[in-house]
Amino acid sequence: MFNDIKMDILSVGGNRIKVFLTNRGFHALLFYRIANKLSRIKVPLLPLILTRIIQIIYSIDIDYRATIKGGCTIVHGVGLVIGKGAIIGKNAKLYHGVTLGISHSQSKSDGFPLIGDNVIIGSGAKLLGKIKIGDNVKIGANSVVTHDVPSNSTAFGIPAVIKTKP
């Protein structure tokens, strides 16, 4: 957990003390990491309370049951939603208004997105359902992604169109 927190601070850049004291994206991740750890050691209620504190203060909703690897950066963050089954790889960058959630389709295989390493997800993007986003992917602002995106690609639009790098 402490290594992930260190990676989160370093991913923001700039003065580490200033990031620790003032960066709301970092605060949301810090509270998430504490809540996630408490949940894994079966501490009742406190993980939910920590999650609610961040929702109230910053309007960032990260479910404590999600999995987020180190080096994540939340830029601005207001309106960001990460559902309970979402998995986010190392060094992800998430902008405000991003949603990682279920699609509410009638399919029995509905679930949450799996995000690879070094992924950038633009403002307002919605990634819905049990989809896999590969490593080194860029998701354009306001895009709606409901299908897998291969590594080293860009996805943008409604619905998202995938462009693979040559």
Side-chain angles (χ1 to χ4, degrees), residues 106-157:
Q106 300 301 320
S107 169
K108 290 183 180 180
S109 64
D110 197 13
F112 291 86
L114 172 89
I115 310 299
D117 295 341
N118 307 309
V119 172
I120 298 172
I121 305 176
S123 302
K126 311 302 178 211
L127 285 69
L128 305 172
K130 190 174 183 178
I131 58 174
K132 185 175 188 297
I133 308 300
D135 296 338
N136 308 307
V137 168
K138 294 179 182 176
I139 306 291
N142 297 314
S143 296
V144 177
V145 183
T146 57
H147 292 79
D148 293 351
V149 178
S151 293
N152 305 307
S153 298
T154 301
F156 56 92

Side-chain angles (χ1 to χ4, degrees), residues 18-152:
K18 186 176 177 183
V19 169
F20 185 82
L21 294 174
T22 66
N23 187 282
R24 62 184 165 254
F26 171 75
H27 292 164
L29 285 167
L30 178 63
F31 272 60
Y32 151 77
R33 295 200 186 287
I34 294 167
N36 181 268
K37 179 70 172 176
L38 291 172
S39 173
R40 285 188 279 128
I41 62 172
K42 308 290 187 221
V43 174
L45 195 56
L46 194 51
L48 183 59
I49 292 170
L50 291 173
T51 299
R52 294 297 176 252
I53 289 170
I54 289 301
Q55 286 174 342
I56 292 166
I57 295 173
Y58 294 128
S59 296
I60 297 173
D61 185 359
I62 305 174
D63 194 290
Y64 61 89
R65 296 165 289 190
T67 301
I68 304 173
K69 294 185 181 172
C72 187
T73 303
I74 295 175
V75 182
H76 300 297
V78 172
L80 180 104
V81 177
I82 300 174
K84 68 180 178 181
I87 299 172
I88 301 173
K90 293 179 183 176
N91 304 315
K93 184 177 270 192
L94 311 173
Y95 286 82
H96 62 278
V98 166
T99 299
L100 305 177
I102 60 174
S103 66
H104 292 292
S105 71
Q106 300 301 320
S107 169
K108 290 183 180 180
S109 64
D110 197 13
F112 291 86
L114 172 89
I115 310 299
D117 295 341
N118 307 309
V119 172
I120 298 172
I121 305 176
S123 302
K126 311 302 178 211
L127 285 69
L128 305 172
K130 190 174 183 178
I131 58 174
K132 185 175 188 297
I133 308 300
D135 296 338
N136 308 307
V137 168
K138 294 179 182 176
I139 306 291
N142 297 314
S143 296
V144 177
V145 183
T146 57
H147 292 79
D148 293 351
V149 178
S151 293
N152 305 307

